[in-house]
Amino acid sequence: VQLQASGGGLVQAGGSLRLSCAVSGRTSNMDTVAWFRQAPAEAREFLAAIKWNGGIKYYADSVRGRFFASRDNAKNTVSLQLNSLKSEDTAAYYCAAGTPVWLQADLSRTTSYPSWGQGTQVTVSS
């Protein structure tokens, strides 16, 4: 599976952005697409996961209620809507695909996802 993230940019605090992840290749090898982010000098942080078929979603506590994942199987894309952005949301955002066990520990682990897209930078100005 190949993934390509896009949609990042510069936004003012309180604003919104919509990130997209284009998925191509053998989607039969995965059942979940997840979003992570990584700020400079920090560990990669899990944000959200969505089932490729069925659309079940799971969010990290830190973004639940502000970030919303969706998928469009016809277009082979997964999106992440970022609302009420804060300066601390500034980071490179990544999408990833794999077959994690749908429990918090496995969903949030970077090693659960063998396929990664390149990052898209989100910068929130205060």
Side-chain angles (χ1 to χ4, degrees):
V1 160
Q2 292 79 46
L3 304 126
Q4 184 168 1
S6 62
L10 174 64
V11 62
Q12 288 189 331
S16 299
L17 277 176
R18 188 174 184 85
L19 308 182
S20 291
C21 178
V23 180
S24 60
R26 294 187 64 181
T27 57
S28 59
N29 292 339
M30 62 85 168
D31 67 3
T32 298
V33 176
W35 287 93
F36 288 76
R37 68 185 177 190
Q38 188 168 21
E42 295 190 11
R44 197 160 290 192
E45 176 191 9
F46 169 81
L47 301 174
I50 184 168
K51 277 277 195 180
W52 186 246
N53 293 305
I56 299 172
K57 303 163 192 176
Y58 180 82
Y59 297 96
D61 289 344
S62 60
V63 300
R64 186 174 292 119
R66 288 197 304 129
F67 292 5
F68 299 92
S70 60
R71 91 264 189 265
D72 184 333
N73 291 92
K75 296 181 179 180
N76 277 10
T77 59
V78 171
S79 298
L80 187 68
Q81 178 70 34
L82 316 179
N83 296 331
S84 303
L85 284 163
K86 309 172 185 178
S87 57
E88 52 263 45
D89 293 318
T90 294
Y93 284 67
Y94 298 87
C95 54
T99 55
V101 175
W102 266 69
L103 295 172
Q104 187 273 338
D106 213 45
L107 286 170
S108 61
R109 192 174 292 130
T110 57
T111 53
S112 297
Y113 304 93
S115 301
W116 289 81
Q118 87 293 355
T120 186
Q121 180 67 33
V122 172
T123 303
V124 183
S125 62
S126 56

